[in-house]
Amino acid sequence: MHVVITGANRGIGKSLADRYRDRGNEVTGTSREGNGPILDVADADSHSAFATMLDGKPIDLLICNAGIFKDKKEKLVFGYPTDMWSETFAVNVAGVFLTIQALLPCLQGSRQGKIAIISSRMGSNRQAVGSSYIYRASKAAAINLGSNLAYDLKPLGIAVGVYSPGWVRTDMGGSNAEISVEECAAGLANRFNELNLENTGCFLNWNGKEIGY
């Protein structure tokens, strides 16, 4: 199985990449800088270069993991600057779409291509508890994007799932988070394995619980 993971240089992305490699799968893990294939998910030219590098090679599982969380400490009064909105949506929403758009021929080259979008339960209306407005809005948009892509890609035989990794002990989640990155990766890998055309469009937590929109 060929797995492509965006944002695979650290945290959840790296743990997923390690897990799939350890189980004998071929993994192409991208990052904005450093070792391995370079992909800036907010840059259309970077997507074109990456797709050219793959040269139509079939992708069995595309994990759209790259994301940013810039507004964790912003305050409602005088916070949340315009450029922070633009940057976050460019990565967390447009970046997901551009990745899938650029790699769609590779996904179609697989017998049963799958797309896993890493969003967050913070994007669910049922989890609306205020603050982090930019991140929450971007993840809500990613959930909506996944639902619509699931509808359009089902006739092509490509399943799309949206997943929350939970509160994970990473640079983003902090040291007081609920689960380790290894627990998260194991749970997500199980969810991806379960993804098919029957449950395409799902929005699930890392442990399989349905979150709701």
Side-chain angles (χ1 to χ4, degrees):
M1 180 169 70
H2 181 206
V3 183
V4 173
I5 307 172
T6 64
N9 57 315
R10 62 180 181 174
I12 296 168
K14 183 178 185 302
S15 187
L16 283 167
D18 292 342
R19 183 178 183 84
Y20 280 109
R21 286 195 185 99
D22 289 346
R23 283 152 181 76
N25 298 288
E26 180 181 3
V27 177
T28 302
T30 75
S31 64
R32 282 192 295 180
E33 55 189 22
N35 298 325
I38 300 299
L39 177 61
D40 181 348
V41 297
D43 183 354
D45 290 338
S46 184
H47 282 286
S48 296
F50 181 59
T52 298
M53 186 203 77
L54 288 178
D55 193 26
K57 184 174 184 176
I59 297 173
D60 302 297
L61 174 60
L62 169 61
I63 304 173
C64 296
N65 167 72
I68 57 175
F69 189 173
K70 294 279 188 175
D71 62 321
K72 186 181 297 186
K73 297 182 180 180
E74 291 294 305
K75 302 299 182 182
L76 181 57
V77 179
F78 304 121
Y80 302 97
T82 301
D83 59 348
M84 190 177 289
W85 283 92
S86 301
E87 182 184 5
T88 301
F89 270 73
V91 174
N92 293 359
V93 187
V96 173
F97 179 81
L98 291 171
T99 300
I100 294 169
Q101 184 181 52
L103 301 182
L104 187 55
C106 297
L107 287 157
Q108 289 181 277
S110 170
R111 291 183 178 180
Q112 191 176 5
K114 298 182 183 183
I115 299 169
I117 298 172
I118 305 302
S119 181
S120 171
R121 62 189 178 190
M122 289 177 68
S124 168
N125 290 332
R126 299 181 185 180
Q127 303 286 330
V129 294
S131 74
S132 301
Y133 299 107
I134 299 175
Y135 182 77
R136 289 181 186 276
S138 73
K139 290 304 185 178
I143 296 165
N144 180 275
L145 178 63
S147 296
N148 284 284
L149 284 167
Y151 180 86
D152 281 338
L153 296 180
K154 186 174 182 178
L156 301 180
I158 299 172
V160 182
V162 184
Y163 304 92
S164 172
W167 189 17
V168 189
R169 291 190 289 273
T170 61
D171 291 342
M172 184 182 292
S175 59
N176 294 322
E178 295 173 341
I179 61 172
S180 70
V181 69
E182 291 80 15
E183 287 177 282
C184 171
L188 288 174
N190 287 335
R191 304 291 79 75
F192 304 160
N193 186 56
E194 295 165 355
L195 178 61
N196 56 55
L197 293 176
E198 295 299 317
N199 60 16
T200 187
C202 61
F203 177 33
L204 302 174
N205 201 24
W206 67 277
N207 58 9
K209 293 183 179 179
E210 187 173 350
I211 297 173
Y213 295 96

Coordinates of all heavy atoms in Angstrom, one line a residue, residues 125-175:
N125 N -20.1 22.0 15.7 CA -21.0 22.9 16.3 C -21.4 22.3 17.7 O -21.8 23.1 18.6 CB -22.3 23.0 15.5 CG -22.0 23.8 14.2 OD1 -21.1 24.6 14.2 ND2 -22.8 23.6 13.2
R126 N -21.4 21.0 17.9 CA -21.7 20.4 19.2 C -20.6 20.7 20.2 O -20.8 20.4 21.4 CB -22.0 18.9 19.0 CG -23.1 18.6 18.1 CD -23.3 17.1 18.0 NE -24.3 16.8 17.0 CZ -24.7 15.5 16.7 NH1 -24.2 14.5 17.4 NH2 -25.7 15.3 15.8
Q127 N -19.4 21.1 19.8 CA -18.3 21.4 20.7 C -18.0 22.9 20.8 O -16.9 23.2 21.1 CB -17.1 20.6 20.2 CG -17.3 19.1 20.0 CD -17.3 18.4 21.4 OE1 -16.7 18.8 22.3 NE2 -18.1 17.3 21.4
A128 N -19.0 23.7 20.6 CA -18.8 25.1 20.6 C -18.8 25.7 22.0 O -19.8 25.8 22.7 CB -19.9 25.8 19.8
V129 N -17.6 26.0 22.5 CA -17.4 26.5 23.9 C -16.6 27.8 23.8 O -16.1 28.2 24.9 CB -16.7 25.4 24.8 CG1 -17.6 24.2 25.0 CG2 -15.3 25.0 24.2
G130 N -16.5 28.4 22.7 CA -15.9 29.7 22.6 C -14.4 29.6 22.4 O -13.8 28.6 22.5
S131 N -13.8 30.8 22.1 CA -12.3 31.0 21.9 C -11.8 30.3 20.7 O -12.5 29.5 20.1 CB -11.5 30.6 23.2 OG -11.5 29.1 23.3
S132 N -10.5 30.5 20.4 CA -9.9 29.9 19.2 C -10.8 30.0 18.0 O -10.9 29.0 17.2 CB -9.5 28.5 19.5 OG -8.6 28.4 20.6
Y133 N -11.3 31.1 17.7 CA -12.3 31.3 16.6 C -11.8 30.9 15.2 O -12.5 30.3 14.4 CB -12.9 32.7 16.6 CG -13.6 33.1 17.9 CD1 -13.0 34.0 18.8 CD2 -14.8 32.5 18.2 CE1 -13.6 34.3 20.0 CE2 -15.4 32.9 19.4 CZ -14.8 33.8 20.3 OH -15.4 34.1 21.5
I134 N -10.5 31.3 15.0 CA -10.0 31.1 13.7 C -9.8 29.6 13.4 O -10.2 29.0 12.4 CB -8.7 31.8 13.5 CG1 -8.9 33.3 13.6 CG2 -8.0 31.5 12.1 CD1 -7.6 34.2 13.5
Y135 N -9.1 28.9 14.4 CA -8.9 27.5 14.3 C -10.2 26.7 14.2 O -10.4 25.8 13.3 CB -8.1 27.0 15.5 CG -7.7 25.5 15.4 CD1 -6.7 25.1 14.6 CD2 -8.4 24.6 16.2 CE1 -6.3 23.8 14.6 CE2 -8.0 23.3 16.2 CZ -7.0 22.9 15.4 OH -6.7 21.5 15.3
R136 N -11.1 27.0 15.1 CA -12.4 26.4 15.1 C -13.1 26.5 13.7 O -13.7 25.6 13.2 CB -13.3 26.9 16.2 CG -12.9 26.5 17.6 CD -13.8 27.0 18.6 NE -13.4 26.8 20.0 CZ -13.6 25.7 20.6 NH1 -14.3 24.7 20.1 NH2 -13.2 25.5 21.9
A137 N -13.1 27.7 13.2 CA -13.8 28.0 11.9 C -13.1 27.3 10.8 O -13.8 26.7 9.9 CB -13.8 29.5 11.6
S138 N -11.8 27.2 10.8 CA -11.1 26.5 9.7 C -11.3 25.0 9.8 O -11.5 24.4 8.7 CB -9.6 26.8 9.8 OG -9.0 26.1 10.9
K139 N -11.4 24.4 11.0 CA -11.7 23.0 11.1 C -13.1 22.7 10.7 O -13.4 21.6 10.2 CB -11.3 22.5 12.5 CG -9.8 22.5 12.7 CD -9.0 21.7 11.7 CE -7.6 21.6 12.0 NZ -6.9 20.7 11.0
A140 N -14.0 23.6 11.0 CA -15.4 23.4 10.6 C -15.5 23.4 9.1 O -16.2 22.6 8.5 CB -16.3 24.5 11.2
A141 N -14.8 24.3 8.5 CA -14.7 24.3 7.0 C -14.1 23.1 6.4 O -14.6 22.6 5.4 CB -14.0 25.6 6.5
A142 N -13.1 22.5 7.1 CA -12.5 21.3 6.6 C -13.5 20.1 6.7 O -13.5 19.2 5.8 CB -11.3 21.0 7.4
I143 N -14.3 20.1 7.8 CA -15.4 19.1 7.9 C -16.4 19.2 6.7 O -16.7 18.2 6.1 CB -16.1 19.2 9.2 CG1 -15.1 18.9 10.4 CG2 -17.3 18.2 9.3 CD1 -15.7 19.4 11.8
N144 N -16.8 20.4 6.5 CA -17.7 20.6 5.4 C -17.1 20.2 4.0 O -17.8 19.6 3.2 CB -18.2 22.1 5.3 CG -19.1 22.4 4.2 OD1 -18.7 22.7 3.1 ND2 -20.4 22.4 4.6
L145 N -15.9 20.6 3.8 CA -15.2 20.2 2.6 C -15.1 18.7 2.4 O -15.4 18.2 1.3 CB -13.7 20.8 2.7 CG -12.8 20.5 1.5 CD1 -13.3 21.1 0.2 CD2 -11.4 21.0 1.8
G146 N -14.8 18.0 3.5 CA -14.8 16.5 3.4 C -16.1 15.9 3.1 O -16.2 15.0 2.3
S147 N -17.2 16.5 3.6 CA -18.5 15.9 3.3 C -18.9 16.1 1.9 O -19.4 15.2 1.2 CB -19.6 16.7 4.2 OG -19.4 16.4 5.6
N148 N -18.6 17.3 1.3 CA -18.9 17.5 -0.1 C -18.0 16.7 -1.0 O -18.4 16.2 -2.1 CB -18.8 19.0 -0.4 CG -20.0 19.8 0.1 OD1 -21.0 19.7 -0.4 ND2 -19.8 20.4 1.3
L149 N -16.7 16.6 -0.7 CA -15.8 15.7 -1.5 C -16.2 14.3 -1.5 O -16.2 13.6 -2.5 CB -14.4 15.8 -1.0 CG -13.6 17.1 -1.3 CD1 -12.4 17.3 -0.5 CD2 -13.3 17.2 -2.8
A150 N -16.7 13.8 -0.3 CA -17.2 12.4 -0.2 C -18.3 12.2 -1.2 O -18.4 11.1 -1.9 CB -17.7 12.1 1.2
Y151 N -19.2 13.2 -1.3 CA -20.3 13.1 -2.3 C -19.8 13.0 -3.7 O -20.3 12.2 -4.5 CB -21.3 14.2 -2.1 CG -22.5 14.2 -3.0 CD1 -23.6 13.6 -2.6 CD2 -22.4 14.9 -4.2 CE1 -24.7 13.5 -3.5 CE2 -23.5 14.9 -5.1 CZ -24.7 14.2 -4.7 OH -25.8 14.2 -5.5
D152 N -18.9 13.9 -4.1 CA -18.4 14.0 -5.4 C -17.5 12.8 -5.8 O -17.5 12.5 -7.0 CB -17.7 15.3 -5.7 CG -18.7 16.5 -5.9 OD1 -19.9 16.2 -6.3 OD2 -18.3 17.6 -5.7
L153 N -16.7 12.3 -4.9 CA -15.7 11.3 -5.2 C -16.3 9.9 -5.1 O -15.6 8.9 -5.6 CB -14.5 11.5 -4.3 CG -13.7 12.8 -4.5 CD1 -12.5 12.9 -3.6 CD2 -13.3 13.0 -6.0
K154 N -17.4 9.7 -4.5 CA -17.9 8.3 -4.3 C -18.1 7.7 -5.7 O -17.8 6.5 -5.9 CB -19.2 8.4 -3.5 CG -19.8 7.0 -3.3 CD -21.0 7.0 -2.3 CE -21.5 5.6 -2.0 NZ -22.7 5.6 -1.1
P155 N -18.7 8.4 -6.7 CA -18.9 7.7 -8.0 C -17.5 7.3 -8.7 O -17.5 6.4 -9.5 CB -19.6 8.8 -8.9 CG -20.2 9.7 -7.9 CD -19.3 9.7 -6.7
L156 N -16.4 7.9 -8.2 CA -15.1 7.6 -8.7 C -14.5 6.4 -7.9 O -13.3 6.0 -8.2 CB -14.2 8.8 -8.7 CG -14.6 10.0 -9.5 CD1 -13.6 11.2 -9.3 CD2 -14.9 9.7 -10.9
G157 N -15.2 5.9 -6.9 CA -14.7 4.8 -6.1 C -13.7 5.3 -5.0 O -12.9 4.4 -4.5
I158 N -13.7 6.6 -4.7 CA -12.8 7.1 -3.7 C -13.6 7.5 -2.4 O -14.5 8.3 -2.5 CB -12.0 8.3 -4.2 CG1 -11.2 7.9 -5.4 CG2 -11.1 8.9 -3.1 CD1 -10.5 9.1 -6.1
A159 N -13.2 6.9 -1.3 CA -13.9 7.1 0.0 C -13.2 8.3 0.7 O -11.9 8.4 0.7 CB -13.9 5.9 0.9
V160 N -13.9 9.1 1.4 CA -13.4 10.3 2.2 C -13.9 10.2 3.6 O -15.1 10.1 3.8 CB -13.8 11.6 1.5 CG1 -13.2 12.8 2.3 CG2 -13.4 11.6 0.0
G161 N -13.0 10.3 4.5 CA -13.4 10.4 5.9 C -12.7 11.6 6.6 O -11.6 12.0 6.2
V162 N -13.4 12.1 7.6 CA -12.9 13.3 8.4 C -12.7 12.8 9.8 O -13.6 12.1 10.3 CB -13.8 14.5 8.3 CG1 -13.2 15.7 9.0 CG2 -14.1 14.8 6.8
Y163 N -11.6 13.1 10.4 CA -11.3 12.6 11.7 C -10.7 13.6 12.7 O -10.0 14.5 12.3 CB -10.3 11.4 11.6 CG -10.7 10.4 10.6 CD1 -10.4 10.4 9.3 CD2 -11.5 9.3 11.1 CE1 -10.9 9.5 8.4 CE2 -12.0 8.4 10.2 CZ -11.7 8.4 8.8 OH -12.1 7.5 8.0
S164 N -11.1 13.5 13.9 CA -10.5 14.3 15.0 C -9.4 13.4 15.7 O -9.7 12.3 16.1 CB -11.5 14.7 16.0 OG -10.9 15.3 17.1
P165 N -8.2 13.9 15.9 CA -7.2 13.2 16.5 C -7.3 13.2 18.1 O -6.6 12.5 18.7 CB -5.9 13.9 16.1 CG -6.3 15.3 15.9 CD -7.7 15.2 15.3
G166 N -8.3 13.9 18.6 CA -8.4 14.1 20.0 C -7.4 15.1 20.5 O -6.7 15.8 19.8
W167 N -7.3 15.1 21.9 CA -6.3 16.0 22.5 C -5.0 15.3 22.8 O -5.0 14.4 23.6 CB -6.9 16.6 23.8 CG -6.1 17.7 24.4 CD1 -5.1 18.4 23.9 CD2 -6.2 18.1 25.8 NE1 -4.6 19.3 24.8 CE2 -5.2 19.1 26.0 CE3 -7.0 17.7 26.9 CZ2 -5.1 19.8 27.2 CZ3 -6.8 18.4 28.1 CH2 -5.9 19.4 28.2
V168 N -4.0 15.6 22.0 CA -2.8 14.7 21.9 C -1.6 15.5 22.4 O -1.4 16.7 22.2 CB -2.5 14.3 20.4 CG1 -1.4 13.3 20.4 CG2 -3.8 13.8 19.8
R169 N -0.7 14.8 23.1 CA 0.5 15.3 23.7 C 1.5 15.6 22.5 O 2.4 14.8 22.3 CB 1.0 14.5 24.8 CG 0.2 14.4 26.0 CD 0.8 13.7 27.2 NE 1.0 12.3 27.0 CZ 0.0 11.4 27.3 NH1 -1.1 11.8 27.8 NH2 0.2 10.1 27.1
T170 N 1.3 16.7 21.9 CA 2.3 17.1 20.8 C 2.6 18.6 21.1 O 2.2 19.2 22.1 CB 1.6 17.1 19.4 OG1 0.4 17.9 19.4 CG2 1.2 15.6 19.1
D171 N 3.4 19.2 20.2 CA 3.7 20.6 20.4 C 2.4 21.5 20.4 O 2.3 22.5 21.1 CB 4.7 21.1 19.2 CG 6.0 20.5 19.4 OD1 6.4 20.0 20.5 OD2 6.8 20.5 18.4
M172 N 1.5 21.1 19.5 CA 0.2 21.8 19.4 C -0.7 21.5 20.6 O -1.3 22.4 21.2 CB -0.5 21.4 18.1 CG -1.8 22.2 17.9 SD -2.7 21.7 16.4 CE -1.6 22.3 15.1
G173 N -0.8 20.3 21.0 CA -1.7 19.9 22.1 C -1.2 20.2 23.5 O -2.0 20.3 24.4
G174 N 0.2 20.2 23.7 CA 0.7 20.5 25.0 C 0.9 19.2 25.8 O 0.4 18.1 25.5
S175 N 1.7 19.3 26.9 CA 2.1 18.2 27.7 C 1.0 17.7 28.6 O 1.1 16.6 29.1 CB 3.3 18.6 28.6 OG 3.0 19.7 29.4

